[in-house]
Amino acid sequence: MNLDRRRLLKVAGGAGAGLLAAPTLLRAQIRPKVVIVGGGPAGATVALTLAQAHPDAFEITLVEENELYTTCFGSNMYLAGLRDFESLRHSYSGLADFGIEVIHERALLANRSEKVITLISRTRLDYDRLVVAPGVDLLYEQVPGYNPQAAKLMPHAWKAGPQTRLLRQQLDAVKDGEAVVIVAPPDPYKCPPGPYERASMMAHALKSSGRGGARIVILDAKEKFSKQALFMEGWQALYPGMIEWLPPSVHGGIELVDPVTKTVATDLDLFTGTLVNIIPAQRAGVTAREWDLADPETGWCPVDPETMRSALDEAVFVIGDAAAAGDMPKSAFSANSQARVAAMAIAADLLGAPRIEPFLFNTCWSRIGAEDAVKVGGRYMPKEGKITSVASFVSAPGEDAAVRRRAVGESDDWYRSIVAEMFGPGAA
Ligand SMILES: Cc1cc2nc3c(=O)[nH]c(=O)nc-3n(C[C@H](O)[C@H](O)[C@H](O)COP(=O)(O)OP(=O)(O)OC[C@H]3O[C@@H](n4cnc5c(N)ncnc54)[C@H](O)[C@@H]3O)c2cc1C
């Protein structure tokens, strides 16, 4: 990292839009600084979009604590044996080719009035614009008996990495006739169809390996879920009798989970599984909350729907899962789309680039079988102070097998393209 340069710039009075009128020599040396915290689909996309759209115009620093990013998207297919673990992991090394400095550290503190953040090593980074994209935190305590220690026995696998591998190991150990229990979270949470795709991919893994007598029970916190009719139709067709979904009006609520006996006690009954997958409720990552960017009531970060600018600080943008993004679901696709809108707004702020009407999109594909995927999606625009759905689509029940196979191909293509938009063309 070029700390001397940062110091020099500070002495020179800081960078910013005003300096763009400076003589050419100075302009070449002093560039507005954009610091991005979090290198997921939100943060990595905004970094690469700015660098590609405006080469050398910004000093871009991406702060991400992990050296490799493991995608949650695609991880259910790893459970099913349809992807290998390494294919989910991506390095940030290609970003250097675009002039992006990547610092693998945790960002700890923000002094928003002085526009500076401090990393765990005490390195201070000053910024003209800060992008905060820390994803979600899991509210372990909202599931009685669950905590990070219990997650070593009853994995959540809702943050990809070691938890994903643990879930796969436990799934591999399930014997024919044994039970799997999934506790699904209340809204809003990342990837609304994710728990049900996970149940489908677990059923695929079990059935295709001669364990079709195993049972999967989903104890949900919700009365209905994303793409419900499509999943239920697919479960009936592909895994008859294997997956049972129970809403809270049937199970009466989770009273206690016990990691030792792998039991979930509900008002209705005790459910014991060889594998118990607990997916707790969620809220914006702690970094956004500690930096006072979240609404303390909801736990999510309010944003201007035109730009993804924080409603609480003009110099800060919050994108991805941490943002309260109106009708947009929390997904990697949404995060990537929001990142483009934020990048445009940052370029307009700091370079005077034209402001274009924001277009926000999402598509979530879900795999039900090896050759069977469904999708839901939409287009969103700012309306009455909120990101509002203006058009939507969803796969139809009873679709032709060829249509479902095509959707599998689309989702594989999307994975390659989002990875290229995060880590550079060489990553796909
Ligand atoms: C099982 C599963 C399946 C999914 N499938 C899909 C799918 O098919 N399609 C889809 O669109 N979405 C899918 N998703 C959702 C998707 O993974 C998330 O919506 C997306 O990752 C959100 O991106 P983000 O950048 O906001 O946050 P994240 O991807 O969570 O990235 C946040 C990053 O910030 C870093 N970070 C946080 N705080 C700090 C700090 N203080 N300092 C430094 N670094 C920090 C973290 O290490 C992390 O890398 C799925 C999710 C799950 C769990």
Side-chain angles (χ1 to χ4, degrees), residues 38 40-42 64-66 69 72-73 107 158 191 287 320-321 331-333 414:
E64 162 57 53
E65 55 188 331
N66 297 311
Y69 182 80
C72 276
F73 38 107
W158 219 243
C191 198
T287 304
D321 286 349
S331 73
F333 198 121
W414 168 76

Side-chain angles (χ1 to χ4, degrees), residues 244-309:
E244 187 181 15
W245 173 75
L246 302 179
S249 54
V250 173
H251 65 69
I254 310 291
E255 292 179 344
L256 188 67
V257 301
D258 178 10
V260 176
T261 56
K262 294 205 178 165
T263 299
V264 180
T266 69
D267 192 36
L268 176 73
D269 210 344
L270 290 178
F271 295 85
T272 301
T274 314
L275 188 176
V276 180
N277 173 210
I278 309 275
I279 309 167
Q282 291 151 44
R283 66 181 167 187
V286 63
T287 304
R289 288 181 288 112
E290 283 185 349
W291 294 0
D292 289 334
L293 294 166
D295 172 345
E297 296 247 309
T298 64
W300 304 104
C301 302
V303 291
D304 165 23
E306 301 271 348
T307 56
M308 300 305 295
R309 193 187 304 277

Side-chain angles (χ1 to χ4, degrees), residues 63-70 90 92 102-105 160:
V63 182
E64 162 57 53
E65 55 188 331
N66 297 311
E67 298 213 347
L68 292 178
Y69 182 80
T70 308
H90 304 279
Y92 294 88
V102 182
I103 303 178
H104 289 297
E105 269 192 54

Side-chain angles (χ1 to χ4, degrees), residues 44-117:
T45 303
V46 83
L48 193 51
T49 303
L50 280 174
Q52 285 179 318
H54 306 280
D56 298 325
F58 299 103
E59 195 175 312
I60 302 171
T61 309
L62 175 62
V63 182
E64 162 57 53
E65 55 188 331
N66 297 311
E67 298 213 347
L68 292 178
Y69 182 80
T70 308
T71 62
C72 276
F73 38 107
S75 66
N76 288 329
M77 278 57 94
Y78 161 67
L79 296 179
L82 299 173
R83 287 192 85 106
D84 63 54
F85 189 71
E86 280 314 307
S87 76
L88 303 174
R89 285 155 72 76
H90 304 279
S91 153
Y92 294 88
S93 58
L95 296 184
D97 297 345
F98 296 87
I100 299 166
E101 181 178 22
V102 182
I103 303 178
H104 289 297
E105 269 192 54
R106 187 160 178 83
L108 272 191
L109 305 169
N111 182 335
R112 293 202 275 109
S113 55
E114 288 188 14
K115 291 196 188 155
V116 61
I117 66 163

Side-chain angles (χ1 to χ4, degrees), residues 23-39:
T24 316
L25 180 61
L26 199 56
R27 208 165 52 219
Q29 290 173 343
I30 300 180
R31 298 175 296 164
K33 292 176 198 163
V34 180
V35 173
I36 300 153
V37 174

